[in-house]
Amino acid sequence: MTLTGGVVPDAPLSLAVSTVIFALRPHPRTRLPVLWVPLVRRIRQPHQGRWALPGGPLGAREGLAASAARTLQETTRLAPRHLEQLYAFGGLDRAPTTAERTVSVVYWALVRPEEADAGAVGVNVRWFVADELPELAFDHSLIVEYALWRLRNKVEYSRIAAAFLGESFTLAELRGVHEAVLQRRLDPANFRRQIEASGRLVATEEFRTGGRHRPARLYRHDRTIHLTDNGPLTES
């Protein structure tokens, strides 16, 4: 007897780890900042030649987060500061052409533009606009869609935008991150009031100078508020 997608009940089970990496970079046509993701071209079946998320099998003697970090370094040379577990994908029809059932634990990572620029690119590694992806291998299109939904919901109530910025930034720069992620313009005055009322920012005594406008005060995020909150759980 077979189940959906041709997977037999006693099919061997394998565990894999994949990562969705987001960076803000200029759109190739509009030059406005948008979300990009790096993809890796598959060089073997199934889905040979298609683009996929960076990842690989879980090592027998390594933790989930360590496996995600390792495969990222091996495929893209990226080492993001923010690496958070997103979801586990284990549908029966994820790889219908194979006899083995694969469950993927997916992480997501956020990197600054200069970190993205330092990553690997080539014939088999390329950055794509996150909302303009080609058809991906397996269920990776669904994974990216879910990661985008999660990011756009989370950026409005957490300090996750800090991962796209340096240690200090202006409110205009922070608003730019929110606008790029949410894909809409935000009223500067309302944004300032909401951000200052959130208590997530600490004003510094430094200012950004240069340009045609008056110097803008620099802020930093409150370091006592973590980018992620795993409660009593820790990973290695």
Side-chain angles (χ1 to χ4, degrees), residues 18-46:
S18 298
T19 305
V20 185
I21 311 165
F22 290 122
L24 287 175
R25 312 175 93 180
H27 191 281
R29 295 189 301 274
T30 68
R31 307 311 298 170
L32 295 174
V34 293
L35 291 166
W36 291 67
V37 295
L39 299 174
V40 178
R41 193 194 306 270
R42 288 187 57 80
I43 58 175
R44 62 178 64 89
Q45 295 293 350

Side-chain angles (χ1 to χ4, degrees), residues 67-97:
S67 178
R70 174 183 58 79
T71 55
L72 275 182
Q73 182 61 231
E74 292 174 352
T75 56
T76 67
R77 293 207 307 267
L78 292 170
R81 297 177 300 163
H82 177 80
L83 190 63
E84 178 184 352
Q85 193 174 127
L86 177 68
Y87 200 72
F89 291 79
L92 296 176
D93 57 351
R94 296 193 72 228
T97 61

Side-chain angles (χ1 to χ4, degrees), residues 59-146:
R61 296 184 178 275
E62 64 182 349
L64 293 169
S67 178
R70 174 183 58 79
T71 55
L72 275 182
Q73 182 61 231
E74 292 174 352
T75 56
T76 67
R77 293 207 307 267
L78 292 170
R81 297 177 300 163
H82 177 80
L83 190 63
E84 178 184 352
Q85 193 174 127
L86 177 68
Y87 200 72
F89 291 79
L92 296 176
D93 57 351
R94 296 193 72 228
T97 61
T98 65
E100 185 177 67
R101 180 182 178 187
T102 301
V103 174
S104 291
V105 178
V106 179
Y107 281 75
W108 63 334
L110 311 176
V111 296
R112 299 193 303 273
E114 61 269 23
E115 294 175 300
D117 292 342
V121 292
V123 175
N124 294 320
V125 180
R126 188 185 303 173
W127 285 84
F128 292 82
V129 176
D131 288 298
E132 302 175 8
L133 298 181
E135 185 177 358
L136 305 185
F138 307 111
D139 56 355
H140 290 191
S141 295
L142 175 63
I143 293 175
V144 174
E145 182 182 353
Y146 178 74

